[in-house]
Amino acid sequence: MDIRKLKHFVALCDHGTFHRAAEAVHLSQSALSRSIQSLEQEMNVALFDRSGHRSLITPFGKALLVRARRMILESNEIHRELTLMRGGDAGSVDLGLSPTPASVLLRPCMVELAREHPRLRINAFMGRTPELIEELRAERYDLVVVDSSAILDPEGLDIERLPDQPGDFLCRKGHPILAMPQRDLGAVRRYPVSCSVVSGDLTRRLVEAFGPDGHPDRLVTFCCDSYDIQREVALESDMILMSVFSAVRREIESGALVPLGLFPPTLVGRYAVVRLAGRTPAPALELIYGIARRLFGPWAA
């Protein structure tokens, strides 16, 4: 059904005469008359009874009028919504994140979007990389930010790798290890160590860097997907946190957490923004891409 014809119909109902209705919709009277006749032919009913200069709405017209107003309103809302979506100001994004990307991206991303795009809806879910990729393929997510080394099958995926994220063992200010003349893995292992789930690739690189004692099964005493909890435990105890710097940027900059300087330059976190290949992205996704690129940018200590 042509929305323009419905608008012409509603205008004639509101104004009562073809003359005034034609002026309201910026048409000639003959053009408005043809539009109404076309709608009546489409509906196969008379919508108006002509009485002198006035057009009186029929029972069929009254039935149509209620729905026509609703359809016009909905049409206007659709156009408005799509216009907002084109600017990234509306719509909905289902976003999946593995623990480290969630700790780096989610809070500052939501602060920025809440300030700049308050009507944009973000549904954020945390999980492990293999499960998130599987659910992305099932179209449960529009976008996932995950450990790139754990993506085993890139087929059908649009993968944008983010800059490598350096990290280290970190401890609270005033931790006893900071007074030790020699800091090494042996010193670290005298204390509890926390981290999120470690991928197979990172496990291999930890063993290459530190030997068998660097394996998470030997090293880690507290494995937790929540960096907030890990951070609080490290700040309030002698637990040592194994993390990329970007996940605890504020604590490092304030001096509350101190890197021990044990990680070699090759021991970095590797992350990526992933979506299904060949799909038209909503502008809101590009906003999140831009924020991710900025937050995962080169680390400056």
Side-chain angles (χ1 to χ4, degrees):
M1 187 177 296
D2 192 333
I3 291 293
R4 291 174 300 174
K5 293 178 184 177
L6 291 179
K7 289 180 178 180
H8 299 161
F9 164 72
V10 170
L12 186 53
C13 292
D14 289 343
H15 294 280
T17 70
F18 276 89
H19 174 71
R20 289 199 296 266
E23 287 184 340
V25 295
H26 309 291
L27 289 177
S28 67
Q29 290 188 50
S30 59
L32 178 62
S33 179
R34 288 194 298 271
S35 178
I36 298 299
Q37 289 173 2
S38 175
L39 182 61
E40 288 179 321
Q41 290 170 1
E42 183 178 345
M43 296 292 99
N44 197 31
V45 293
L47 299 174
F48 295 97
D49 291 325
R50 279 65 174 177
S51 176
H53 294 294
R54 295 190 61 81
S55 296
L56 304 177
I57 191 168
T58 68
F60 299 108
K62 289 179 180 179
L64 177 61
L65 180 60
V66 175
R67 289 166 175 78
R69 292 191 192 278
R70 191 179 305 150
M71 292 173 68
I72 292 169
L73 178 61
E74 187 64 21
S75 174
N76 291 339
E77 282 300 302
I78 290 171
H79 283 290
R80 180 173 178 273
E81 186 79 6
L82 294 181
T83 298
L84 289 170
M85 286 182 67
R86 282 197 297 270
D89 292 315
S92 177
V93 175
D94 291 324
L95 176 64
L97 308 102
S98 59
T100 299
S103 68
V104 175
L105 176 63
L106 198 51
R107 181 185 289 112
C109 177
M110 289 312 305
V111 168
E112 182 169 332
L113 292 178
R115 184 175 58 246
E116 303 294 335
H117 306 277
R119 294 200 60 226
L120 180 62
R121 179 186 176 94
I122 304 294
N123 302 309
F125 306 89
M126 288 180 59
R128 308 286 173 81
T129 296
E131 289 79 12
L132 291 173
I133 293 296
E134 182 179 344
E135 291 176 342
L136 174 69
R137 292 187 187 278
E139 301 186 19
R140 296 190 184 98
Y141 298 124
D142 300 302
L143 185 75
V144 296
V145 191
V146 294
D147 181 342
S148 63
S149 66
I151 302 174
L152 303 179
D153 178 13
E155 182 70 25
L157 301 178
D158 184 333
I159 301 172
E160 179 177 327
R161 299 187 187 278
L162 297 165
D164 289 346
Q165 299 297 298
D168 201 354
F169 297 109
L170 302 104
C171 67
R172 64 174 174 82
K173 180 181 179 181
H175 193 289
I177 198 172
L178 296 175
M180 292 183 178
Q182 181 178 352
R183 299 178 208 156
D184 55 17
L185 187 67
V188 169
R189 294 189 71 220
R190 294 175 59 179
Y191 301 95
V193 175
S194 72
C195 72
S196 63
V197 173
V198 179
S199 69
D201 176 70
L202 182 55
T203 295
R204 176 184 56 77
R205 288 183 285 129
L206 281 166
V207 172
E208 288 177 354
F210 297 111
D213 286 341
H215 195 290
D217 288 349
R218 295 191 181 188
L219 178 63
V220 176
T221 59
F222 178 43
C223 184
C224 178
D225 283 350
S226 170
Y227 268 84
D228 286 339
I229 293 175
Q230 289 188 62
R231 180 171 51 244
E232 292 305 315
V233 173
L235 289 170
E236 297 177 20
S237 72
D238 286 344
M239 182 169 284
I240 291 175
L241 172 63
M242 185 168 66
S243 170
V244 296
F245 295 143
S246 52
V248 287
R249 183 184 300 267
R250 291 184 298 180
E251 288 73 19
I252 294 174
E253 291 174 347
S254 70
L257 286 177
V258 181
L260 298 183
L262 299 183
F263 272 32
T266 55
L267 198 52
V268 294
R270 296 168 177 166
Y271 305 99
V273 184
V274 187
R275 66 187 179 199
L276 293 177
R279 303 297 177 86
T280 300
L285 294 187
E286 295 302 327
L287 293 174
I288 296 173
Y289 266 80
I291 295 171
R293 293 180 190 116
R294 186 169 70 252
L295 291 174
F296 280 86
W299 169 260

